[in-house]
Amino acid sequence: MKTNFRKYGRKNNKDLCEITLENDHGMVVKVLNYGATLEKVLLDGENMILSLDKPEDYDKERNYLGGTVGRIAGRVRRGLWRHGLELHQLPINEGPNHIHGGIGTDTEIWDFRPSCNEKGARVDLTLFDPDGHNNYPGNLKLHARYELDNNNILHYSLGAMSDKLTIFNPVNHTFFTLGEKKTINDLQLQMNADYYIPVDETGLPDRGMEKVDGTAFDFRKAKRVGDALESDDPQIKNRDGLDHPFILNGNQPGAVLTSGKHKLTVTTNAPSLILYTGNGFDHTGKYTADFGPYCGITFEAQVPPAEGDDLGRITLLPGEKFKRTVDWKFE
């Protein structure tokens, strides 16, 4: 097991660093303290995730690749959070809605400490998000951890605690490719999800859960991802691909993604996985010019978005401990 880090830049009077984790089998993981970002996952030298060309590019253009996105990842309708008789307004930054925490945690520079022992190579990252930042109440302390073990499992966890009543629904936003260079259409996906959540034209739920049975969203048995993306399902057409929450049925693992050479197994304590197939990439970004639609797929482990302004499921009480865990096993 080995860890090391290197400074590659400086921003806002803080050092920007790339941390490297390596296990005894030569699997290498690279993490940035900018956004607590998963930058690369190298298995036999081949990158398993969507990455920019170099660490210096990540703070130049917000694209969420591998970032720890919060305080809330995803959308809040009209940016409104109602609790009791109070109505709280979050910044509107995507059409009529709030998305990805405003100037969120994926754009902050985290403190970090690498370490290793016989069980794993890891990095612990911490961030203080002050009361009122992005209109969120409460001083919030976050603790993210990436740990690589000798079974080629990358363990990700995120803990947090606030001193005020607040809302919190973060996610790791890694796009997985399993080494596919252009699209993930030919990857095989299996999920333990009997229900998915349809969304409206803004990407928010409007009718509750629906069964996957008989739809493009049925991955209970492994099938080609492209079979869903190329279907005539109105929900696929509505979002130009997958951009939907899947409700996990409790059987593990949550999802299994396979290519001809590699396999990814995803397990989590989250109630849902939001699948997004990079539908918005169109070769126009300065730093993402090589990326087109369906260039990667996310498994965003979180509470699914709410239809209205009752966000009770993601409310964090003062002093309450939040803990999200996700394991990614690579073979």
Side-chain angles (χ1 to χ4, degrees):
M1 296 288 182
K2 292 188 290 188
T3 65
N4 63 73
F5 69 90
R6 69 177 184 90
K7 175 182 172 179
Y8 66 85
R10 194 161 168 81
K11 186 182 180 73
N12 299 335
N13 297 318
K14 293 183 178 181
D15 292 331
L16 296 169
C17 296
E18 179 186 59
I19 305 103
T20 300
L21 314 176
E22 184 174 352
N23 70 11
D24 294 336
H25 305 303
M27 181 175 170
V28 173
V29 168
K30 292 183 181 291
V31 175
L32 305 181
N33 70 325
Y34 178 77
T37 295
L38 181 58
E39 182 203 1
K40 288 183 179 178
V41 175
L42 302 172
L43 190 64
D44 298 324
E46 191 171 6
N47 192 12
M48 298 289 100
I49 69 174
L50 201 62
S51 305
L52 299 182
D53 288 341
K54 54 186 184 298
E56 289 85 352
D57 294 341
Y58 278 79
D59 68 310
K60 304 298 190 299
E61 183 179 83
R62 195 179 185 195
N63 48 52
Y64 312 110
L65 266 69
T68 295
V69 180
R71 293 186 186 189
I72 292 180
R75 299 168 180 87
V76 177
R77 194 179 297 279
R78 301 185 305 279
L80 292 177
W81 164 42
R82 185 184 301 277
H83 54 101
L85 299 176
E86 295 184 33
L87 194 62
H88 197 85
Q89 180 68 63
L90 300 173
I92 302 302
N93 61 339
E94 190 203 48
N97 301 317
H98 173 79
I99 191 171
H100 291 334
I103 310 300
T105 55
D106 59 299
T107 68
E108 301 289 340
I109 300 168
W110 298 50
D111 296 316
F112 71 94
R113 182 174 65 87
S115 62
C116 62
N117 55 32
E118 68 279 0
K119 292 184 178 180
R122 84 184 199 201
V123 59
D124 290 270
L125 304 105
T126 56
L127 177 70
F128 175 74
D129 195 44
D131 181 28
H133 187 219
N134 290 300
N135 287 0
Y136 286 93
N139 293 298
L140 188 75
K141 185 71 177 288
L142 299 94
H143 174 201
R145 174 182 293 171
Y146 294 90
E147 183 168 13
L148 177 64
D149 68 20
N150 270 331
N151 293 315
N152 287 356
I153 301 175
L154 179 58
H155 306 269
Y156 172 82
S157 65
L158 183 63
M161 186 181 291
S162 171
D163 63 357
K164 287 184 182 179
L165 182 75
T166 192
I167 43 178
F168 193 56
N169 194 23
V171 85
N172 178 280
H173 207 282
T174 297
F175 286 87
F176 296 92
T177 66
L178 298 190
E180 295 299 306
K181 303 302 182 185
K182 296 296 182 181
T183 77
I184 42 82
N185 287 42
D186 290 331
L187 296 182
Q188 297 281 320
L189 174 63
Q190 185 271 325
M191 295 187 69
N192 278 313
D194 303 312
Y195 290 85
Y196 82 104
I197 299 182
V199 296
D200 63 17
E201 66 280 358
T202 70
L204 276 162
D206 61 354
R207 71 195 80 165
M209 296 185 295
E210 290 189 1
K211 289 184 177 181
V212 300
D213 189 29
T215 75
F217 298 87
D218 191 352
F219 291 98
R220 291 173 297 175
K221 293 182 179 179
K223 74 175 184 183
R224 181 175 169 270
V225 175
D227 289 349
L229 299 178
E230 296 158 7
S231 77
D232 290 327
D233 190 294
Q235 278 289 310
I236 297 292
K237 297 292 187 182
N238 174 32
R239 302 305 295 165
D240 296 320
L242 286 167
D243 187 13
H244 299 80
F246 286 74
I247 308 302
L248 299 177
N249 62 22
N251 296 300
Q252 296 291 355
V256 178
L257 187 70
T258 56
S259 70
K261 295 191 296 181
H262 299 112
K263 178 180 177 181
L264 167 69
T265 304
V266 183
T267 58
T268 180
N269 69 345
S272 73
L273 293 173
I274 285 79
L275 268 59
Y276 176 58
T277 45
N279 317 330
F281 289 118
D282 58 2
H283 300 290
T284 61
K286 181 175 180 181
Y287 298 96
T288 56
D290 291 338
F291 302 163
Y294 318 143
C295 55
I297 184 169
T298 69
F299 297 99
E300 302 169 42
Q302 62 177 154
V303 175
E307 288 190 36
D309 53 25
D310 178 3
L311 305 183
R313 291 186 68 192
I314 60 171
T315 296
L316 200 61
L317 298 173
E320 181 183 1
K321 292 182 178 178
F322 174 93
K323 186 64 175 289
R324 174 71 67 238
T325 60
V326 190
D327 289 348
W328 302 297
K329 179 176 175 63
F330 295 88
E331 300 174 73

